[in-house]
Amino acid sequence: EITYGDWSSDVCSSDLQLEIAVSAYRELIAKWPRSPYFPAAQVGLAESLVQSGKYSEAIASLNEIIAANRNANYVLRAHLLKGDIYLKLLDQPQQALDVFMAVYKNFKKPEARKQAALSLGDVYFRLGDTGKAKEWYLNSYRLLGAKEVAFRNEIHFKLAELAFCQQEFTAAIAELEKIEQIQNSRTLQDDLFNDALDFIFLIEQNLADSSTALALYATAACIQKGKKLAAAADSLEALIEKFPQSLLAPKALLDLGAVYGQLALPERKIAAYQKIADDYSTSIYADEGTFLLARAFEDHGHIDEALSTYEKILQDFPMSIYLEQTRKRLRALRDGSAMQ
């Protein structure tokens, strides 16, 4: 997930750190090929290249790890990372399918097979084959040990998303209610538990408000999962036009803004978030929509509009979870303006 912050300095610092990391890993690989740290350096190089957006170089590095076959654990990591690059970053699900299927068939340890099965579920979900997606998620579930709560939670959430796409709302809630809160955990599992609560609230609230609107929203969500962004935008626009008074309308606008961002249509993204600020100012999504509007203004060089929108958040949403980030962005923009 993207964490909003002082992105201008953070990005520069991150880029420099990645450049240093890539150079260090390359030097270790070149000078000490017999080092016990050599496989770890190869994986570190590939991961750094991924973070730098150099996906082809990362895949080439991972292929070297796989071909050398010096350490089974690192070979597995290389396969899984390669599959993730194809699926999540290059949007090449067929190549990802080949990678994950090879892992499932060729690695015998349950740890490898359960992760491959989970990823195969993701691939088939992306391809729109919900039957096979569910089959592979359940295959992964069967390979779990009794104490693997975090992994089990992840599968329940994916099964809930699958059920939601199929408009099986009761089944989706049932899967979400199985997600356990992990005590003393400050990991992504905390977010997953909270996401499950939010998901349940969205379904239950909108089933009571407008089940037809919820069905349309589920259809749009399923289209988005398949990366058919233009069709997803059309579906969300239709929902908003047909059910402007529904509780889902501002949530659909949030999703629409994100889709237009992915489609590189900044003015439409701004318009979606602006509509939340203008027409749904009392919605539970109002502060988020207004914050994203300010960020969109800022990202596209509309600094005066960004400043006024951030100030609106401070005034209109004094209890918002976006207050700290809003103050940080205001300070950064004002300091930048003073320097110009």
Side-chain angles (χ1 to χ4, degrees):
E1 297 292 329
I2 296 172
T3 300
Y4 295 109
D6 189 356
W7 61 270
S8 55
S9 59
D10 289 349
V11 169
C12 292
S13 174
S14 176
D15 287 347
L16 178 58
Q17 290 171 354
L18 286 172
E19 186 178 336
I20 293 170
V22 168
S23 297
Y25 286 131
R26 288 195 192 280
E27 183 176 3
L28 193 157
I29 290 167
K31 291 185 176 180
W32 295 285
R34 298 184 182 279
S35 166
Y37 300 108
F38 183 83
Q42 285 184 301
V43 172
L45 173 61
E47 290 174 342
S48 298
L49 289 168
V50 169
Q51 293 179 62
S52 301
K54 299 175 181 178
Y55 305 136
S56 296
E57 289 183 54
I59 289 173
S61 179
L62 293 168
N63 284 337
E64 291 177 8
I65 298 170
I66 294 166
N69 196 25
R70 287 176 55 171
N71 181 301
N73 289 331
Y74 287 115
V75 170
L76 174 60
R77 284 178 62 182
H79 277 294
L80 294 176
L81 179 54
K82 180 179 173 182
D84 281 343
I85 293 170
Y86 280 132
L87 180 62
K88 300 175 182 177
L89 300 173
L90 295 177
D91 193 28
Q92 296 177 5
Q94 189 57 55
Q95 287 86 336
L97 179 65
D98 293 342
V99 172
F100 293 131
M101 191 64 76
V103 172
Y104 187 81
K105 290 180 178 178
N106 297 329
F107 286 78
K108 302 307 178 186
K109 290 185 177 180
E111 183 68 29
R113 301 184 79 224
K114 75 181 182 187
Q115 185 59 63
L118 186 72
S119 296
L120 284 165
D122 291 342
V123 171
Y124 281 114
F125 202 167
R126 160 66 184 84
L127 291 170
D129 191 334
T130 54
K132 284 189 176 179
K134 184 175 183 178
E135 177 185 332
W136 281 105
Y137 288 147
L138 292 175
N139 281 346
S140 181
Y141 196 93
R142 295 185 190 102
L143 292 165
L144 293 180
K147 296 182 179 180
E148 295 184 87
V149 177
F151 207 108
R152 188 176 298 109
N153 283 349
E154 188 175 358
I155 296 174
H156 284 309
F157 197 89
K158 290 177 183 292
L159 286 169
E161 290 183 310
L162 197 61
F164 185 76
C165 269
Q166 296 173 302
Q167 300 179 25
E168 298 172 356
F169 302 125
T170 302
I173 291 172
E175 292 293 343
L176 293 166
E177 288 178 339
K178 294 175 185 176
I179 294 175
E180 301 176 42
Q181 187 170 22
I182 300 175
Q183 298 299 322
N184 302 318
S185 171
R186 294 186 178 181
T187 67
L188 288 176
Q189 285 298 315
D190 291 330
D191 292 335
L192 190 64
F193 181 77
N194 292 329
D195 287 346
L197 293 178
D198 289 343
F199 203 167
I200 291 171
F201 176 76
L202 181 143
I203 295 171
E204 291 182 337
Q205 181 188 50
N206 289 288
L207 268 178
D209 178 59
S210 174
S211 59
T212 307
L214 185 62
L216 284 175
Y217 183 78
T219 298
C222 206
I223 294 171
Q224 282 180 264
K225 202 76 174 178
K227 301 293 184 181
K228 299 173 183 177
L229 297 178
D234 290 343
S235 184
L236 289 166
E237 290 273 18
L239 187 160
I240 296 158
E241 182 178 356
K242 191 171 183 179
F243 298 98
Q245 303 303 318
S246 73
L247 295 174
L248 261 178
K251 172 60 174 161
L253 283 164
L254 283 178
D255 290 1
L256 184 62
V259 169
Y260 280 139
Q262 291 176 274
L263 289 169
L265 296 170
E267 296 307 320
R268 291 191 181 185
K269 177 174 74 171
I270 288 172
Y273 296 143
Q274 184 72 64
K275 190 171 180 62
I276 297 174
D278 291 345
D279 298 347
Y280 300 97
S281 60
T282 60
S283 162
I284 59 172
Y285 304 107
D287 62 332
E288 182 179 1
T290 306
F291 180 78
L292 292 174
L293 174 62
R295 283 306 306 252
F297 279 139
E298 184 179 351
D299 290 343
H300 298 291
H302 306 312
I303 303 305
D304 290 340
E305 291 90 340
L307 283 167
S308 63
T309 306
Y310 283 129
E311 288 166 353
K312 178 179 174 63
I313 295 170
L314 296 181
Q315 178 180 340
D316 293 353
F317 306 104
M319 304 299 291
S320 172
I321 61 171
Y322 296 97
L323 281 186
E324 182 179 348
Q325 296 170 67
T326 295
R327 292 190 182 104
K328 191 173 184 180
R329 293 308 315 137
L330 273 171
R331 285 195 298 270
L333 287 178
R334 286 167 177 163
D335 289 347
S337 298
M339 293 173 63
Q340 292 177 355

